[in-house]
Amino acid sequence: MHVPDGFINAPVSAVTGVVAAGAIAVSLRGARRELDERTAPLAGLVAAFIFAVQMLNFPVAAGTSGHLLGGALAAILVGPFTGVLCVSVVLLMQGVLFADGGLTALGVNITDMAIVTTVVAYAVFRGLLAVLPRKRRSVTVASFVAALVSVPAAAVAFTLMYAVGGTTDVSIGKVATAMIGVHVLIGLGEAVITALTVGAVIAVRPDLVHGARGLRQRLRLRVNGELVDAPAPAAPVAARASRRTLWLTGLVTSLVLAGFVSFYASANPDGLEKVAHDQGIDKKTEKHASSDSPLADYGVKDVSDARLSGGLAGVIGVGVTVVAGSTVFWAVRRRRSSDVSPASTAHTGA
């Protein structure tokens, strides 16, 4: 789904750049309400995990592969505003360092892969939680469906952008049919990965999962013929893992996936690449501005061994992404802390 330079014309790319910039600005403000000292480190880890799992292309049809987009996963784990920022950080690192996704198309990719997937997934997720039983299993089920829907939604969004600003004369009907068809299949893989990951985190630290907040329904007792809320328990249930343990486990998992497992990923083109080649969308693809990067195409320049080259690139990518993401979310959290400082509280109360 990473759109290269040349697929979408300059005016539409510029408009999506403005949309992406506006969404990031809104998300920076919204993330202040979502992040605290407990969840800010998790957000940086989520970005690194998405980067790692996106290296794991899985086969979905003859000659076609797919990979995680990550919008649903990020929105459910750390919140929709923070989720947009997580995926945007990943896309920026991929575009600048790895020549994956055009730089002039960065606005297109953020709009499609960060904004559309996150907004659609979180809306579906919340809608399902409103009607499902208030149990942890419902969060996992809702995560599966939300992730499944988010991927073809991104395919639809790309098709609409191509209809307005495509650089080649290709039937939009054919593009839509091919894009949506293959991305429904990719969505199944996205749904499985998202549900398994959300379920794993809920199993050890449900308090850190944004989508599971307020999950437990307060016990209600009948007193003198009226229903009243039962008193809250004296102490919360002990977590099965500390935040540090969860963070380290997630980081090690990301490093192993990107540094080792990625070597066994499918080499087939992903959904967009396959459709672009089959339909002729890629006729005007432009050379990537970062094609000479020492990490271009997820390999370390001058390292001849393919396994070592790809593994090192994956490890470097995870490291850079977790540092960049953590820096952004640490700054957002500090901004939130300053907004609720004792001085500001005193002025409010005066």
Side-chain angles (χ1 to χ4, degrees):
M1 189 65 78
H2 293 77
V3 180
D5 297 317
F7 276 26
I8 306 296
N9 64 26
V12 173
S13 296
V15 170
T16 56
V18 173
V19 171
I24 289 173
V26 171
S27 296
L28 285 169
R29 293 183 63 85
R32 295 183 204 171
R33 300 190 298 271
E34 295 173 345
L35 296 173
D36 54 32
E37 67 281 354
R38 300 176 308 122
T39 56
L42 178 63
L45 177 61
V46 168
F49 182 77
I50 290 173
F51 175 91
V53 180
Q54 283 196 3
M55 293 183 67
L56 308 181
N57 281 46
F58 49 84
V60 294
T64 310
S65 69
H67 62 70
L68 182 81
L69 298 185
L73 177 62
I76 294 164
L77 287 180
V78 293
F81 294 108
T82 309
V84 169
L85 298 178
C86 282
V87 182
S88 297
V89 167
V90 173
L91 293 171
L92 181 61
M93 295 299 102
Q94 291 171 331
V96 172
L97 298 179
F98 297 91
D100 189 10
L103 295 185
T104 62
L106 185 59
V108 173
N109 285 317
I110 290 177
T111 300
D112 197 25
M113 295 178 64
I115 301 171
V116 171
T117 59
T118 301
V119 171
V120 170
Y122 199 70
V124 172
F125 176 78
R126 279 299 172 193
L128 289 173
L129 282 190
V131 298
L132 291 173
R134 297 174 63 83
K135 298 179 180 179
R136 292 181 183 177
R137 183 177 299 175
S138 297
V139 176
T140 304
V141 172
S143 300
F144 182 95
V145 178
L148 174 61
V149 173
S150 70
V151 178
V156 171
F158 169 79
T159 302
L160 292 175
M161 286 186 280
Y162 188 81
V164 177
T167 56
T168 55
D169 185 17
V170 178
S171 168
I172 299 304
K174 291 182 178 180
V175 174
T177 301
M179 284 291 292
I180 296 171
V182 71
H183 283 91
V184 167
L185 299 177
I186 295 173
L188 290 171
E190 178 106 9
V192 171
I193 295 170
T194 300
L196 289 176
T197 305
V198 170
V201 178
I202 285 181
V204 294
R205 288 302 301 260
D207 58 308
L208 297 181
V209 178
H210 184 276
R213 292 179 182 178
L215 184 63
R216 288 183 174 276
Q217 208 166 16
R218 290 291 298 273
L219 177 64
R220 309 200 76 190
L221 303 176
R222 187 174 294 278
V223 178
N224 297 328
E226 297 183 0
L227 287 174
V228 298
D229 289 335
V237 178
R240 292 176 58 185
S242 68
R243 293 200 305 271
R244 178 176 295 182
T245 299
L246 176 64
W247 195 90
L248 289 174
T249 301
L251 179 61
V252 170
T253 301
S254 300
L255 290 170
V256 170
L257 291 175
F260 177 72
V261 181
S262 62
F263 180 77
Y264 300 98
S266 173
N268 291 330
D270 67 20
L272 177 59
E273 292 172 333
K274 178 66 172 175
V275 172
H277 177 73
D278 290 348
Q279 302 298 328
I281 296 175
D282 59 357
K283 291 179 181 177
K284 295 188 178 181
T285 304
E286 299 174 3
K287 182 180 179 181
H288 200 288
S290 298
S291 59
D292 294 329
S293 166
L295 297 173
D297 297 323
Y298 297 94
V300 177
K301 190 176 181 180
D302 298 330
V303 176
S304 58
D305 185 273
R307 179 175 299 192
L308 179 61
S309 178
L312 285 175
V315 168
I316 293 171
V318 168
V320 171
T321 304
V322 77
V323 169
S326 297
T327 300
V328 170
F329 300 123
W330 177 79
V332 171
R333 183 178 69 85
R334 285 205 61 183
R335 183 65 181 270
R336 168 181 172 168
S337 299
S338 66
D339 288 344
V340 295
S341 65
S344 63
T345 305
H347 282 295
T348 303

